[in-house]
């Protein structure tokens, strides 16, 4: 501990003992140290006003930093609570998100994607969970924007594909043969909220969707 003006060596040791067991000086430690310094200062060599003002300023800084830390911790808890409530309120909503998952449950299913320019040719490929190509078909020329195509649920061999989860890719080219950027999308109803690694995810078509991947949220259409 560095020398403190106006305090003898014995008093410095006593003040130092107040800090034992802690490597970080908190506001209570600082105030206790300052009180000891004032109590035991040498009357013949008192601490001057500039030093005292400097130490009070340090105390104010510690207090301010402590309040900031407490405020951040409180705000984090509030934000997490609001985020959890928001996620729960998403259950039952129809969401569109970035992703390449498609679920087949019946005769056919819709594939969503976004073209960033007009395309003269578009080809869609479907893969099973082993990465094997199950089906592929041409979607023809399509305008840029949000697009939908339908997979009839048939494999390349002409038989009905098993119901389940698949992935898909979309390849698009303009009339000059230049590749057109594409983002594949997932679309489905939120059926639940799951927490993994402390992070919340929406459960859509049996897959996890993070908030950052959501493109749009709509009220689910009622079945007639």
């Amino acid at each position: 501990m560095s020398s403190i003006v106006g305090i003898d060596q014995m008093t410095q040791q006593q003040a130092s003992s107040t800090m034992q067991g802690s490597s970080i000086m908190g506001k209570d430690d600082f105030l206790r140290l300052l009180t000891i310094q004032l109590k035991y200062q040498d009357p013949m060599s008192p601490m001057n006003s500039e030093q005292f003002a400097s130490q009070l300023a340090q105390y104010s800084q510690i207090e301010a930093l402590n309040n900031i830390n407490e405020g951040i911790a409180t705000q984090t808890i509030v934000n997490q609570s609001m985020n959890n409530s928001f996620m729960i309120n998403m259950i039952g909503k129809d969401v569109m998100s970035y992703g390449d998952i498609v679920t087949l449950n019946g005769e056919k299913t819709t594939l969503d994607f976004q073209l960033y320019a007009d395309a003269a040719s578009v080809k869609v490929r479907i893969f099973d969970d082993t990465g094997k190509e199950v089906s592929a078909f041409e979607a023809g020329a399509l305008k840029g924007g949000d697009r939908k195509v339908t997979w009839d649920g048939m494999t390349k061999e002409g038989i009905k594909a098993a119901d389940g989860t698949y992935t898909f890719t979309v390849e698009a080219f303009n009339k000059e043969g230049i590749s057109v950027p594409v983002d594949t999308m997932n679309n489905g109803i939120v059926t639940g909220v799951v927490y993994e690694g402390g992070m919340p995810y929406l459960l859509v078509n049996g897959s996890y969707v993070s908030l950052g991947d959501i493109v749009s949220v709509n009220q689910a259409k009622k079945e007639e």
Side-chain angles (χ1 to χ4, degrees):
M1 183 174 180
S2 60
S3 177
I4 303 176
V5 176
I7 297 182
D8 58 27
Q9 186 65 29
M10 181 180 298
T11 304
Q12 289 188 48
Q13 292 175 355
Q14 181 177 354
S16 179
S17 67
T18 67
M19 294 299 297
Q20 290 181 356
S22 175
S23 60
I24 300 176
M25 180 181 288
K27 64 177 183 176
D28 292 336
D29 298 321
F30 190 95
L31 187 58
R32 192 156 50 243
L33 182 60
L34 183 60
T35 301
I36 293 174
Q37 181 175 346
L38 292 174
K39 182 178 179 180
Y40 291 101
Q41 67 178 332
D42 185 352
M44 301 303 294
S45 180
M47 179 171 53
N48 65 44
S49 58
E50 290 183 1
Q51 290 174 320
F52 184 66
S54 175
Q55 294 197 13
L56 285 179
Q58 291 178 47
Y59 172 76
S60 298
Q61 291 174 353
I62 292 174
E63 175 74 7
L65 289 173
N66 186 68
N67 290 339
I68 290 173
N69 289 336
E70 290 179 353
I72 291 174
T74 300
Q75 188 61 45
T76 299
I77 293 173
V78 172
N79 288 343
Q80 184 174 359
S81 177
M82 293 176 63
N83 192 44
N84 290 344
S85 297
F86 173 76
M87 296 288 280
I88 292 173
N89 288 334
M90 292 283 284
I91 295 176
K93 297 292 196 304
D94 184 1
V95 300
M96 182 79 70
S97 62
Y98 293 110
D100 60 356
I101 305 296
V102 58
T103 300
L104 182 65
N105 186 18
E107 296 299 321
K108 59 184 179 179
T109 188
T110 300
L111 309 177
D112 296 272
F113 55 93
Q114 184 176 30
L115 286 175
Y116 287 91
D118 294 348
S121 65
V122 176
K123 186 170 185 177
V124 179
R125 288 186 169 90
I126 314 293
F127 303 88
D128 63 17
D129 57 4
T130 68
K132 177 184 176 182
E133 185 176 283
V134 174
S135 181
F137 60 90
E138 298 287 344
L142 295 172
K143 291 288 186 180
D146 295 332
R147 303 272 74 93
K148 293 178 182 290
V149 295
T150 300
W151 175 34
D152 60 9
M154 303 299 289
T155 67
K156 292 189 296 184
E157 291 75 21
I159 61 176
K160 173 70 171 59
D163 286 352
T165 300
Y166 297 84
T167 59
F168 72 102
T169 62
V170 178
E171 297 175 341
F173 298 90
N174 62 20
K175 59 184 179 180
E176 286 80 24
I178 299 173
S179 179
V180 174
V182 182
D183 272 330
T184 56
M185 301 286 180
N186 293 335
N187 181 243
I189 305 299
V190 179
T191 56
V193 178
V194 294
Y195 294 84
E196 189 169 284
M199 296 295 294
Y201 295 90
L202 300 176
L203 190 61
V204 181
N205 295 330
S207 300
Y208 292 177
V209 176
S210 67
L211 282 177
D213 286 333
I214 294 176
V215 176
S216 65
V217 180
N218 298 285
Q219 291 289 346
K221 295 180 180 179
K222 295 182 179 180
E223 297 183 0
E224 297 181 356

